[in-house]
Amino acid sequence: MTIKSALEEYLKCYEERGYFSGSLLIARNKEILLQKAIGYANLEHNAPNTTKTKFRIGSITKSFTAMAILLLCQKGVLHLEDPINLHLDGLASGDKVTIHHLLTHTSGIPNFTSFPDYWSTTMRMPSTLPEIIRSFAQLPLDFTPGTRYHYSNSGYILLTAIIEKASCTSYANYLRENIWAPLGMVDTGCEEHRSVIKGLATGYTAWEEIIHTEYMDMTIPRGAYGMYSTVEDLWKWDQALYTEKLIDAEWLAKMFEPYQFGYGYGWAVDQQAGKKVISHFGDINGFHCDMYRVVDDQLVVIALSNVNLTPVTKLTRDLAKITAGEELHQPLSLISSFLKETPEAINRSVGTYVDSTDERMKVEITEEPHGIFVTHPKMYGVPYKFRLHLVAQSEESIEWITGIVYETFKVHLQADQSIRKLTFTDEYGKIYRLTLSATAKRS
């Protein structure tokens, strides 16, 4: 089996079961091995995804922000050890925090996207850059700068402002002139105000079925998580990072140096199987994206999805292993038809299951007039609800799988029903073992 056919075989189940919507690109040694689009960019109009479909890339934006800062440093306009109060006013701790601290998430500045009102209010309202900064400018630091790592979008909002002040132009204009245009990234940009972006996918989430994601005003993310791009443009970005086309080698080396907690400048830096891996995950309402680079092999896997539950980091790592010649156990099995749901299977499955070691993990299986459903928390503790399909039933167990994302739920039975266990495997392959709550058993 060729590498391309092995990659195609792995993706077959994701495609045929509808577990992936987006675009993928796998390349090695300057050669694209597989470029593939699956699902729909817009469900309302049945518009399919293509390899030129644009997706919001979330925090992959940070790698471009870091490059913009380093370009200004190379020109001598900025210095990595500059206290940020040299460039910005009105920050309570601006004399203690440096540009380096912002780049590496070691500033201690509170992360504004974790504030209680962010989800309900802030992200839905148009905001100027100064307004966003004022929301955290006078807050005390969470820790002394440089002593800890804590991911903070606030730091990259400040870097956006520093880029604009130092370059005397907007963040988007600076990146367009100094990064995107030189690399021929014609399908990459920032959403600004109410501009129409032709070819931009619609973002979706799930509650029982695929639904529209929560609204976000795109004046908020900026240089922290505000860009859109395509798999083809991001491959151009990947290729440029092996050269000095944009910046000298000494500055590139600074970008990819693992600082605290293995984070460089806008990239996560790691060693896996003795090889250097540079990557970044992107997450923004309705979109999950990942860019995974095994630099010693000049291998890149890019996955952009317009459904925010897609396990893109699992996909990129699995596809990288296949490209390297590793055999993987196929995680999905195609089931041509589901079993008819029986009253016994339903009665012996419905209930609330809890994890004694993790109070946040609670799985509820419910019977409703329109089907059997499971509700449980995912990233950030947000609950999601999925339709269940019966796939196996015996005296000892009952097995279900979900749609939209591939999850399995196996209810383990005892003859006297005194104890009922649940083995839940999520879309990333993580296994949870739960027990039916004694206070929530079905009567």
Side-chain angles (χ1 to χ4, degrees):
M1 182 180 290
T2 66
I3 290 174
K4 182 175 181 179
S5 60
L7 294 169
E8 289 274 15
E9 183 66 23
Y10 176 88
L11 291 170
K12 179 181 178 182
C13 295
Y14 280 93
E15 181 173 10
E16 294 190 10
R17 288 296 304 277
Y19 287 136
F20 182 80
S21 175
S23 295
L24 296 144
L25 186 147
I26 303 103
R28 184 174 60 185
N29 293 328
K30 302 180 181 179
E31 177 187 359
I32 295 176
L33 302 177
L34 180 69
Q35 197 171 352
K36 190 175 182 67
I38 298 171
Y40 291 91
N42 182 276
L43 288 167
E44 289 88 340
H45 300 287
N46 290 322
N49 281 314
T50 74
T51 56
K52 292 188 179 296
T53 298
K54 299 166 185 171
F55 298 82
R56 292 177 180 173
I57 62 172
S59 287
I60 296 176
T61 301
K62 290 179 172 68
S63 64
F64 291 89
T65 302
M67 175 62 80
I69 288 289
L70 291 177
L71 286 168
L72 291 164
C73 286
Q74 181 172 266
K75 294 176 182 177
V77 179
L78 300 175
H79 301 88
L80 291 170
E81 297 308 321
D82 283 351
I84 59 176
N85 64 359
L86 290 180
H87 307 286
L88 301 174
D89 298 324
L91 293 160
S93 303
D95 59 332
K96 301 181 181 69
V97 176
T98 67
I99 290 174
H100 169 83
H101 292 143
L102 299 180
L103 286 166
T104 56
H105 299 294
T106 58
S107 69
I109 293 174
N111 181 15
F112 81 102
T113 58
S114 297
F115 294 173
D117 60 348
Y118 174 77
W119 190 259
S120 62
T121 306
T122 303
M123 75 173 186
R124 303 168 192 268
M125 304 295 292
S127 298
T128 65
L129 191 53
E131 286 172 341
I132 300 170
I133 292 173
R134 280 198 293 272
S135 72
F136 57 80
Q138 295 302 310
L139 296 177
L141 297 176
D142 289 338
F143 52 85
T144 302
T147 62
R148 288 172 51 193
Y149 169 95
H150 190 268
Y151 195 88
S152 176
N153 285 305
S154 301
Y156 275 75
I157 292 293
L158 292 173
L159 290 170
T160 305
I162 290 170
I163 290 166
E164 293 194 343
K165 185 171 183 180
S167 66
C168 299
T169 189
S170 71
Y171 171 84
N173 281 341
Y174 187 80
L175 268 64
R176 185 178 300 110
E177 293 173 4
N178 293 276
I179 301 175
W180 305 333
L183 299 182
M185 298 176 66
V186 297
D187 293 318
T188 297
C190 292
E191 290 178 71
E192 297 172 303
H193 308 294
R194 295 183 176 180
S195 55
V196 174
I197 311 298
K198 292 184 178 180
L200 180 68
T202 301
Y204 298 99
T205 185
W207 187 265
E208 298 189 1
E209 59 186 2
I210 293 289
I211 61 172
H212 279 293
T213 191
E214 294 79 5
Y215 174 76
M216 172 180 287
D217 192 288
M218 290 306 291
T219 60
I220 306 296
R222 302 180 186 267
Y225 51 106
M227 281 176 51
Y228 63 83
S229 192
T230 67
V231 290
E232 294 179 355
D233 271 10
L234 289 176
W235 183 51
K236 295 174 183 177
W237 174 231
D238 163 75
Q239 292 297 285
L241 296 175
Y242 291 107
T243 73
E244 295 183 67
K245 187 169 185 177
L246 293 177
I247 199 169
D248 293 345
E250 64 176 295
W251 291 99
L252 272 177
K254 292 179 185 294
M255 175 178 276
F256 301 133
E257 178 71 23
Y259 301 102
Q260 283 181 279
F261 205 73
Y263 199 89
Y265 291 163
W267 291 98
V269 184
D270 196 10
Q271 286 282 332
Q272 295 182 12
K275 296 179 180 179
K276 190 169 188 176
V277 172
I278 296 168
S279 65
H280 215 293
F281 170 72
D283 169 33
I284 186 170
N285 300 21
F287 297 84
H288 267 188
C289 307
D290 193 52
M291 187 167 178
Y292 184 77
R293 308 175 65 236
V294 185
V295 295
D296 291 336
D297 295 336
Q298 292 201 23
L299 169 68
V300 64
V301 185
I302 303 163
L304 309 180
S305 175
N306 60 323
V307 177
N308 73 331
L309 297 166
T310 306
V312 288
T313 55
K314 175 176 172 53
L315 280 168
T316 55
R317 283 145 184 79
D318 282 356
L319 293 169
K321 290 176 182 177
I322 292 170
T323 305
E326 295 185 36
E327 289 190 16
L328 294 182
H329 171 65
Q330 174 55 267
L332 308 182
S333 57
L334 288 176
I335 299 171
S336 58
S337 62
F338 302 123
L339 299 180
K340 181 177 175 58
E341 295 158 1
T342 65
E344 180 185 24
I346 295 169
N347 288 331
R348 299 177 79 181
S349 298
V350 165
T352 299
Y353 299 83
V354 294
D355 185 342
S356 61
T357 63
D358 184 356
E359 62 182 15
R360 298 168 298 178
M361 178 49 66
K362 181 173 73 172
V363 172
E364 295 181 273
I365 297 177
T366 56
E367 180 186 12
E368 302 182 23
H370 52 301
I372 311 304
F373 292 88
V374 62
T375 306
H376 61 88
K378 286 190 170 294
M379 187 178 289
Y380 313 123
V382 177
Y384 290 88
K385 189 175 184 180
F386 303 100
R387 178 76 161 86
L388 285 175
H389 304 283
L390 183 64
V391 295
Q393 181 178 359
S394 70
E395 288 298 319
E396 293 78 28
S397 65
I398 300 166
E399 296 183 54
W400 307 83
I401 65 169
T402 57
I404 304 176
V405 295
Y406 180 67
E407 299 180 327
T408 64
F409 297 83
K410 186 173 184 178
V411 180
H412 305 273
L413 308 170
Q414 291 194 359
D416 61 0
Q417 290 285 291
S418 60
I419 299 176
R420 197 192 305 169
K421 302 284 188 180
L422 177 72
T423 300
F424 158 41
T425 305
D426 71 10
E427 70 272 33
Y428 288 92
K430 184 176 180 180
I431 299 173
Y432 301 84
R433 304 186 192 283
L434 304 99
T435 303
L436 183 68
S437 170
T439 59
K441 290 182 180 180
R442 181 174 177 158
S443 58

